[in-house]
Amino acid sequence: MTDAPLALLAELTHRCPLRCPYCSNPTALTGPGEELDTATWARVFAEAAELGCLQLHLSGGEPTARRDILDLVRAAGGAGLYTNLITAGVLLDAGRLAALAEAGLDHVQLSVQDAEAGSADRIGGYAGGHAKKLAVGRLVTAAGLPLTLNAVVHRQNLDRLPALIDLALDLGAGRLEVAHVQYYGWALRNRDALLPTRAQLEAATATVEAARAAHRGRLVIDYVVPDYYAKRPKACMGGWGRRFLAVSPAGRILPCHAAESLPGFDFPNVRTSSLRAAWEGSEAFARYRGTGWMPEPCRGCDRAEVDWGGCRCQAFALTGDAAATDPACALSPDHGLLALAVEEAAGAGEGFTYREPRPEPRRAPAPG
């Protein structure tokens, strides 16, 4: 029997006023007319609770772009789920935050693009966004809601990691996620402009270790490192179809939020399938679950039930084969692709291809 999932990631919409060049949304964005309606999402939340989920992460795009966000929060609370709003913050104000808290919201995860306003606004592609985020962060804590600050880091902001830690403390956050960019979707398009140097990575790791010691009991720091300097892969999402599931704006039920990038799958949809049927009985969830699917050198490896083969989306992005050994593993025959990517990035410029709901996103100039 498959264990129950811990959490559901509900991607309510792909709409977002920001245009981050590392956005985890697919490059083919779902339009508003294809999004699930309020009643369908409420049913999904009830099914998630019945399946055994404890946590619900309300994400996007920007989830507060949904006019029914209060109704969705109420439905999630009514189902008994712990609700975390993953937001850019720029569409929130004191009144809306108060209404969300009254509706039963349990937690806010606020994204920031940098500690310096000019750089942050350039990275997010949204003028004035950084100042708005700082104001919203203070409103969150003033409303009595727990706050996590999410800082996606990369070559163009990593040197300001100490200032990002200070920012989390100043805003009263209880948790800081220092999340290195993961390279698929929009981030893969912008990899050359985002991939940090080894020196930057080593300095960042030392900064995090020192800050954890200095602020123990005051600030929890989660640290997600990039795979491109790794010798062993991470257990992506706790392993394919083992701990988490996601539902896309159009209703596709996925083992992770990036799985739509993989060809050859017929993912179930909540319009025609229950979450339980997808989790327990679909071929899409079973395909890379466990260890039976693994090729050599993963098969029989003493870490097979530690990293569960690494990331299928990364394996496909780098090798064209989702069943290949994750190139983050030093034993992979494709491990050299990572060193090649680092070498190519070292001589690249800093212009971005922004996330846009258009076939040909425009590139932003490099700073300066």
Side-chain angles (χ1 to χ4, degrees):
M1 175 65 69
T2 302
D3 291 341
L6 171 66
L8 168 66
L9 176 69
E11 295 193 293
L12 302 179
T13 181
H14 282 160
R15 289 173 284 157
C16 184
L18 273 68
R19 301 180 292 132
C20 300
Y22 50 72
C23 181
S24 62
N25 287 161
T27 52
L29 300 174
T30 297
E34 302 172 80
E35 294 173 5
L36 299 180
D37 61 21
T38 311
T40 303
W41 274 119
R43 173 175 60 79
V44 168
F45 300 159
E47 289 182 6
E50 191 274 334
L51 184 56
C53 287
L54 302 175
Q55 303 168 3
L56 172 66
H57 302 285
L58 299 169
S59 182
E62 173 48 52
T64 61
R66 294 270 309 211
R67 295 182 179 179
D68 59 352
I69 187 63
L70 294 177
D71 293 329
L72 295 176
V73 169
R74 291 189 191 98
L81 296 169
Y82 181 92
T83 52
N84 173 38
L85 180 70
I86 303 174
T87 179
V90 296
L91 301 183
L92 292 173
D93 56 25
R96 207 162 187 218
L97 274 169
L100 285 165
E102 184 178 356
L105 183 66
D106 293 302
H107 185 275
V108 175
Q109 181 174 320
L110 177 67
S111 67
V112 292
Q113 281 64 46
D114 205 331
E116 193 277 319
S119 176
D121 290 351
R122 173 185 170 268
I123 292 168
Y126 188 86
H130 186 68
K132 177 69 172 176
K133 287 169 180 283
L134 299 190
V136 168
R138 294 187 173 91
L139 288 171
V140 169
T141 53
L145 289 167
L147 173 66
T148 290
L149 201 67
N150 177 250
V152 180
V153 294
H154 46 82
R155 188 172 77 217
Q156 299 192 38
N157 67 5
L158 194 52
D159 294 337
R160 287 180 289 280
L161 179 55
L164 285 164
I165 295 170
D166 289 342
L167 179 60
L169 291 166
D170 180 60
L171 292 177
R175 182 180 295 272
L176 170 66
E177 290 191 1
V178 180
H180 282 268
V181 169
Q182 305 299 300
Y183 295 98
Y184 40 74
W186 294 92
L188 187 61
R189 286 192 177 190
N190 287 289
R191 185 178 65 185
D192 286 351
L194 294 168
L195 196 62
T197 66
R198 179 174 288 279
Q200 281 185 307
L201 177 60
E202 291 174 351
T205 301
T207 295
V208 167
E209 290 174 351
R212 281 173 168 167
H215 304 299
R216 185 172 289 114
R218 165 64 186 82
L219 180 68
V220 175
I221 303 178
D222 295 329
Y223 187 50
V224 181
V225 299
D227 289 334
Y228 279 60
Y229 293 102
K231 292 186 178 179
R232 291 291 183 269
K234 297 189 292 289
C236 184
M237 303 297 287
W240 178 280
R242 295 190 69 253
R243 302 302 293 151
F244 296 91
L245 75 164
V247 175
S248 76
R252 283 178 285 276
I253 309 170
L254 307 166
C256 78
H257 59 284
E260 285 184 283
S261 66
L262 303 179
F265 279 87
D266 182 17
F267 289 111
N269 194 293
V270 298
R271 291 186 169 101
T272 56
S273 171
S274 69
L275 290 188
R276 181 175 295 279
W279 181 257
E280 296 181 352
S282 72
E283 188 278 335
F285 274 77
R287 188 180 301 187
Y288 298 127
R289 181 182 274 153
T291 61
W293 63 272
M294 292 181 177
E296 297 291 350
C298 300
R299 188 183 299 271
C301 176
D302 60 4
R303 291 183 56 84
E305 294 188 10
V306 175
D307 58 45
W308 300 101
C311 179
R312 298 301 88 218
C313 299
Q314 180 163 266
F316 175 73
L318 291 171
T319 73
D321 180 6
T325 298
D326 187 339
C329 182
L331 300 177
S332 165
D334 300 303
H335 187 64
L337 293 173
L338 303 184
L340 180 62
V342 171
E343 181 180 342
E344 291 175 348
E350 296 190 342
F352 293 137
T353 297
Y354 280 130
R355 171 198 188 276
E356 299 273 18
R358 295 198 292 267
E360 295 296 333
R362 73 171 184 266
R363 288 194 72 81

